[in-house]
Amino acid sequence: MATGGVSPTLNAFDSGDTRTVTIIMDGTQTVRRLTPLECERLQGFPDNWTEGQADSHRYKQMGNAVAVPVVEWIIAGIAQME
């Protein structure tokens, strides 16, 4: 939970076949995996965009995707230069 307008820290690490996201909140460390919905939101896709597939496929698709907001920002910058 964000306190004082500051978001908690997200640390991701890959240990072989294990991918874990660490969320540090209020000085304690809680380890959990992001949900497919959270991954879709982080990448800028609509909620449940990849619904109806195995979660492993959903994670792979979101991991291989390009973040929509980043692409929109780059294109807007190019458009301003033209």
Side-chain angles (χ1 to χ4, degrees):
M1 209 178 245
T3 57
V6 178
S7 295
T9 303
L10 276 174
N11 295 323
F13 62 91
D14 187 347
S15 173
D17 289 336
T18 306
R19 289 173 183 85
T20 306
V21 173
T22 305
I23 299 176
I24 301 172
M25 302 169 67
D26 299 328
T28 63
Q29 194 170 358
T30 305
V31 179
R32 72 172 181 88
R33 175 180 277 208
L34 290 173
T35 65
L37 178 61
E38 290 171 319
C39 292
E40 290 169 340
R41 289 177 178 174
L42 285 169
Q43 290 291 64
F45 287 98
D47 287 359
N48 299 312
W49 181 257
T50 59
E51 191 174 42
Q53 304 172 61
D55 283 355
S56 60
H57 292 198
R58 295 176 77 183
Y59 286 121
K60 188 176 285 189
Q61 289 173 351
M62 290 300 104
N64 288 331
V66 175
V68 173
V70 172
V71 173
E72 289 173 341
W73 180 81
I74 291 170
I75 291 173
I78 292 171
Q80 284 181 346
M81 294 178 75
E82 298 268 325

